[in-house]
Amino acid sequence: MAATAPLPRAPVSSPASRAALWPARSNLRTAAAPPAGTLGWRRRQPFPAVSITPASAQSTPPALAVDPEVEALLDSVKWDTKGLAVAIAQNVDTGAILMQGFANREALAATISTRKATFYSRSRSSLWTKGETSTNFINVHDIFLDCDRDSIIYLGTPDGPTCHTGAETCYYSSVYDALQGSKSSQERQVYTTLYSLEDTISKRKEEIVTEGSAKPSWTKKLLLDNQLLCSKIREEAGELIQTLLENEDRSRTASEMGDLLYHAMVLLSVKDVKMEEVLEVLRKRFSQSGVEEKASRKKS
């Protein structure tokens, strides 16, 4: 069988745009922690610059200096006839799908090296890094290929709203809402179960209980009474413990954990702490033993 000609690669950006794309940057690991109590988006320090091979005088745009192992991985991706693959950015903590674009070999190689989500613009025929204009970068923690190796997930943390409209993600238009005649709103988010609960608690917190109004919800009662909330958390924690001590069935354990998680999330709302912040703390402990983590905490 005759050898198959290699698939054409999408063109890369010009030397000037490359220089603007990857200026020298400091390492994320040296970034200072945000002030205590800081809410909302937290700017993270970028990762080191990618290595670029200088171009000759007459030449083609400069090429990325790619490690042989990275080159082999890039060869394993099933790029389409235009040398592209779908690339999806996903929030590592919330699981939210942030955006979808396309990547070619150079874009994926740049993302691996810089740990900034980088895509290939079909309209501009050049590479672009999410955030190069807005500074709302997506800091990549890991990259996944699907089982067919023809699509990519950039798993990372966003520095700010991902969508050019200012929305947290580009996905805020519900098909079912549209079918029911509702208009799209940037406030509409693609919430998973955990974040749907957090959103419901947040809405209850925003409600104003006026004299003569309808009976407040249980969530609202908890939000208004710290002593009641604390007593319920203790109660639910005790009931969860009992499912282990009394060898109760799995469904009972799941139910009691649900109760405890709900009441704990109400406390987080009272303290203006987002669930995403809690998950970020857990993620940062993955590479650290429990003993080391406790030893690193400041003694009060």
Side-chain angles (χ1 to χ4, degrees), residues 104-181:
N104 61 0
R105 293 177 65 96
E106 288 77 14
L108 180 54
T111 302
I112 292 170
S113 178
T114 65
R115 290 183 177 264
K116 297 289 183 186
T118 303
F119 302 86
Y120 177 79
S121 171
R122 295 175 298 171
S123 60
R124 299 195 302 268
S125 298
S126 63
L127 298 189
W128 67 282
T129 297
K130 169 60 187 165
E132 62 188 30
T133 301
S134 66
T135 70
N136 293 334
F137 295 98
I138 297 175
N139 304 293
V140 174
H141 293 266
D142 208 341
I143 301 171
F144 286 84
L145 299 174
D146 78 333
C147 57
D148 293 323
R149 303 186 82 81
D150 60 3
S151 66
I152 304 162
I153 288 181
Y154 294 154
L155 195 63
T157 49
D159 275 335
T162 297
C163 186
H164 71 282
T165 63
E168 181 180 343
T169 87
C170 293
Y171 296 91
Y172 55 80
S173 300
S174 165
V175 169
Y176 292 110
D177 282 355
L179 292 175
Q180 294 171 5

Side-chain angles (χ1 to χ4, degrees), residues 32-79:
T38 300
L39 298 177
W41 297 107
R42 287 153 288 170
R43 185 72 57 200
R44 292 172 172 80
Q45 293 297 319
F47 284 82
V50 64
S51 174
I52 301 177
T53 304
S56 61
Q58 29 302 62
S59 82
T60 63
L64 293 171
V66 179
D67 183 277
E69 291 184 359
V70 174
E71 190 70 46
L73 183 142
L74 297 175
D75 288 340
S76 74
V77 177
K78 293 181 181 177
W79 308 104

Side-chain angles (χ1 to χ4, degrees), residues 37-278:
T38 300
L39 298 177
W41 297 107
R42 287 153 288 170
R43 185 72 57 200
R44 292 172 172 80
Q45 293 297 319
F47 284 82
V50 64
S51 174
I52 301 177
T53 304
S56 61
Q58 29 302 62
S59 82
T60 63
L64 293 171
V66 179
D67 183 277
E69 291 184 359
V70 174
E71 190 70 46
L73 183 142
L74 297 175
D75 288 340
S76 74
V77 177
K78 293 181 181 177
W79 308 104
D80 67 15
T81 55
K82 295 181 180 179
L84 303 174
V86 170
I88 298 167
Q90 182 178 12
N91 189 311
V92 68
D93 290 321
T94 68
I97 301 300
L98 301 173
M99 62 169 290
Q100 180 256 309
F102 291 88
N104 61 0
R105 293 177 65 96
E106 288 77 14
L108 180 54
T111 302
I112 292 170
S113 178
T114 65
R115 290 183 177 264
K116 297 289 183 186
T118 303
F119 302 86
Y120 177 79
S121 171
R122 295 175 298 171
S123 60
R124 299 195 302 268
S125 298
S126 63
L127 298 189
W128 67 282
T129 297
K130 169 60 187 165
E132 62 188 30
T133 301
S134 66
T135 70
N136 293 334
F137 295 98
I138 297 175
N139 304 293
V140 174
H141 293 266
D142 208 341
I143 301 171
F144 286 84
L145 299 174
D146 78 333
C147 57
D148 293 323
R149 303 186 82 81
D150 60 3
S151 66
I152 304 162
I153 288 181
Y154 294 154
L155 195 63
T157 49
D159 275 335
T162 297
C163 186
H164 71 282
T165 63
E168 181 180 343
T169 87
C170 293
Y171 296 91
Y172 55 80
S173 300
S174 165
V175 169
Y176 292 110
D177 282 355
L179 292 175
Q180 294 171 5
S182 300
K183 292 183 179 180
S184 295
S185 168
Q186 293 176 24
E187 301 302 316
R188 180 78 153 88
Q189 300 296 333
V190 186
Y191 285 129
T192 53
T193 302
L194 191 65
Y195 290 92
S196 292
L197 174 58
E198 182 177 60
D199 184 56
T200 299
I201 294 171
S202 178
K203 288 176 179 176
R204 296 292 182 271
K205 187 177 180 181
E206 293 170 0
E207 293 173 357
I208 300 175
V209 178
T210 58
E211 190 173 345
S213 63
K215 185 178 180 180
S217 66
W218 177 245
T219 301
K220 190 67 178 180
K221 286 183 178 180
L222 293 171
L223 289 166
L224 292 171
D225 190 336
N226 288 349
Q227 291 302 318
L228 174 63
L229 175 58
C230 291
S231 68
K232 288 301 296 183
I233 291 174
R234 294 189 190 97
E235 176 187 331
E236 301 301 345
E239 291 180 357
L240 177 63
I241 291 169
Q242 285 302 112
T243 68
L244 175 62
L245 297 178
E246 298 181 8
N247 196 29
E248 297 184 35
D249 60 45
R250 296 172 66 255
S251 63
R252 179 68 176 173
T253 302
S255 176
E256 294 301 338
M257 183 60 199
D259 289 342
L260 177 58
L261 182 59
Y262 156 71
H263 286 89
M265 288 179 68
V266 175
L267 187 149
L268 291 180
S269 182
V270 171
K271 295 289 293 180
D272 289 322
V273 175
K274 298 293 186 183
M275 196 65 192
E276 184 177 357
E277 296 175 67
V278 177

Side-chain angles (χ1 to χ4, degrees), residues 14-35:
S14 67
S17 64
R18 281 286 180 82
L21 195 57
W22 298 302
R25 294 169 175 143
S26 59
N27 195 298
L28 175 66
R29 294 178 180 84
T30 63

